Amino acid sequence: MNLRALLNALAGKQDSKDIAKERLRLVLVHDRASVSPEFMEQIKEEIIKVISKYMEIDTANTVINLHKSEGTAVLEANLAIKAIRRPG
Amino acid sequence: MGAVIVITSGKGGVGKTTTTANLGVGLAMLGEKVVLIDADIGLRNLDVVMGLENRIVYDLVDVVEGNCRPKQALIRDKRYDTLFLLPAAQTRDKNAVTPEQMKKLCAELKEEYDFVLVDCPAGIEQGFRNAIAGADRALIVTTPEVSAVRDADRIIGLLEAADLGDPKLIINRLRPDMVKRGDMMDIEDILEILAIDLIGVIPDDEKIIISTNRGEPVVANDNGSLSGQAYRNIVRRVRGENVPFLQLYKNSSIFSRLKKIMGLSG
Ligand SMILES: Nc1ncnc2c1ncn2[C@@H]1O[C@H](COP(=O)(O)OP(=O)(O)OP(=O)(O)O)[C@@H](O)[C@H]1O
Ligand SMILES: [Mg+2]
């Protein structure tokens, strides 16, 4: 927070440019999170590839989802594990 | 071999055509050979901004349909004889041209010219896809407003998907007085959100409207206008020179002094 914003906060008001910036940030979280199914599938495959180094993944029972809510987006991955590899 | 640069924005009316005209004239003033392509088919505008509207014989669609050779359609500028305009067709629609045809035309033109600047229509449809098809680089124009920056963000994503990464940003119509009051997003705010490189900032300037009235882009006017200077700087950056940015506003002095005293920085 800069000084102007601090003084504004004390005075109980907010610069309109800060409101604009905040709204823009929120709307872009939503815009950017609107991804295609192909893109989600690609993310899923890459996650599985990385995790497979350590565990055996049941691909068929693995789901990943992108949740959007107020101001944030959450990527949720449920990976079904068949077996865990022995540390080498 | 020259470079094809598309000037795009997503949102309409933010200054693509004005920017294309000024960069074209500015480059020609430095002796570069330049072609400006008006890719806004059906809403031809670059011709009037350049003051060349009375000289049009052939247009972009005539060229891609083979009704004439590119050379025959190019209109030479009134003042700079290394500057040419390829006007848009006014009575056709965007589907009269395909991305492949644009690619071929751009490839042909850059054999002979140093810069081919493509004035993109607003939107993300066929006209946008045509305009970016032959481009090597992209400039994105935005104004310091929520909707314009949002659309710029979308365009950045689409350009990336089309292998036009690393676009450069032009912030147009900035009002230093409003920035100082905290009523307009400043350069840092916008760069933080879009996370791309800045290539220039043009102040909101009535001289742009006056020069557009005359059909003489402001960049060539030696009237001390800030917008003209801002465009001349962008022209040099487009050519690869490192030019310091104009300081259009300062943090108000009391605030910045207080900040220093209190060890805050914003
Ligand atoms: N920096 C500026 N200061 C003042 N007026 C400006 C500035 N930049 C552009 N304008 C004015 O804004 C209007 C829109 O500009 P322009 O036609 O270049 O936008 P555009 O992005 O090409 O629009 P479109 O999407 O319709 O093609 C014009 O009237 C122009 O003169
Ligand atoms: Mg335009």
Side-chain angles (χ1 to χ4, degrees):
Chain A
M1 193 191 288
N2 63 26
L3 186 62
R4 170 193 227 112
L6 189 75
L7 293 177
N8 278 339
L10 291 175
K13 72 181 176 87
Q14 200 181 2
D15 281 343
S16 76
K17 77 116 173 180
D18 289 321
I19 299 172
K21 197 175 168 188
E22 197 46 39
R23 291 176 59 223
L24 190 51
R25 220 194 284 281
L26 294 188
V27 81
L28 288 184
V29 165
H30 285 246
D31 286 1
R32 289 176 184 172
S34 308
V35 295
S36 66
E38 296 78 41
F39 190 69
M40 289 303 292
E41 197 51 39
Q42 198 181 331
I43 295 176
K44 178 173 154 181
E45 275 167 26
E46 299 233 1
I47 290 176
I48 290 174
K49 208 163 86 192
V50 171
I51 304 294
S52 296
K53 279 195 254 176
Y54 308 98
M55 303 168 190
E56 200 177 321
I57 304 295
D58 177 3
T59 330
N61 287 312
T62 289
V63 265
I64 78 160
N65 274 308
L66 197 55
H67 300 285
K68 289 171 266 174
S69 57
E70 274 303 294
T72 54
V74 173
L75 183 73
E76 184 188 64
N78 273 304
L79 292 95
I81 300 167
K82 277 193 199 151
I84 299 185
R85 299 193 205 290
R86 237 175 247 114
Chain B
M1 175 123 88
V4 181
I5 305 177
V6 62
I7 291 90
T8 182
S9 70
K11 186 169 158 54
V14 298
K16 294 175 292 298
T17 301
T18 306
T19 296
T20 308
N22 278 286
L23 297 187
V25 170
L27 285 164
M29 286 165 68
L30 299 177
E32 305 280 10
K33 291 181 73 179
V34 186
V35 177
L36 308 180
I37 301 181
D38 188 347
D40 202 345
I41 298 169
L43 290 170
R44 174 200 277 172
N45 268 159
L46 190 51
D47 55 338
V48 289
V49 176
M50 298 287 297
L52 299 172
E53 67 274 18
N54 294 325
R55 307 186 178 195
I56 298 177
V57 181
Y58 296 110
D59 58 45
L60 175 59
V61 174
D62 288 319
V63 172
V64 301
E65 287 184 345
N67 301 335
C68 68
R69 285 177 296 108
K71 272 267 157 75
Q72 291 175 286
L74 294 180
I75 304 163
R76 191 189 292 269
D77 187 66
K78 287 181 288 196
R79 287 181 292 177
Y80 300 96
D81 59 8
T82 60
L83 176 61
F84 297 85
L85 169 69
L86 179 51
Q90 183 66 333
T91 55
R92 303 289 295 270
D93 72 28
K94 324 253 176 217
N95 302 314
V97 177
T98 68
E100 288 67 36
Q101 290 170 325
M102 278 300 285
K103 219 184 261 179
K104 183 164 164 276
L105 174 64
C106 289
E108 207 175 311
L109 289 171
K110 74 176 170 185
E111 291 286 330
E112 197 165 328
Y113 296 87
D114 302 314
F115 289 96
V116 178
L117 306 184
V118 185
D119 181 16
C120 184
I124 55 174
E125 310 302 329
Q126 174 80 14
F128 166 75
R129 285 201 296 275
N130 286 339
I132 68 168
D136 305 308
R137 289 148 67 180
L139 300 180
I140 298 179
V141 184
T142 188
T143 58
E145 288 170 283
V146 176
S147 52
V149 177
R150 178 196 199 174
D151 290 357
D153 189 78
R154 183 100 169 81
I155 290 292
I156 294 167
L158 292 171
L159 289 175
E160 237 164 51
D163 278 333
L164 268 173
D166 201 24
K168 304 288 185 236
L169 186 70
I170 294 177
I171 299 174
N172 189 23
R173 309 201 74 154
L174 187 107
R175 288 191 45 185
D177 55 324
M178 292 188 72
V179 170
K180 260 185 230 157
R181 290 205 302 269
D183 277 330
M184 181 174 271
M185 284 189 284
D186 61 30
I187 300 166
E188 289 71 32
D189 292 328
I190 297 169
L191 293 181
E192 185 188 322
I193 283 170
L194 293 180
I196 62 172
D197 292 339
L198 184 69
I199 195 167
V201 183
I202 317 293
D204 192 76
D205 188 355
E206 61 178 43
K207 296 221 172 70
I208 290 200
I209 296 170
I210 297 168
S211 64
T212 306
N213 286 343
R214 299 186 199 280
E216 295 169 0
V218 73
V219 70
N221 294 353
D222 196 14
N223 56 8
S225 73
L226 216 47
S227 55
Q229 185 59 50
Y231 272 125
R232 286 192 289 278
N233 288 355
I234 296 178
V235 163
R236 291 171 55 197
R237 293 185 195 113
V238 165
R239 294 173 88 220
E241 286 177 57
N242 210 332
V243 187
F245 286 93
L246 291 177
Q247 185 147 32
L248 296 175
Y249 55 85
K250 295 194 186 86
N251 287 340
S252 82
S253 55
I254 300 176
F255 277 131
S256 38
R257 243 178 284 149
L258 263 174
K259 263 194 226 169
K260 267 195 199 132
I261 294 167
M262 298 172 67
L264 293 170
S265 58

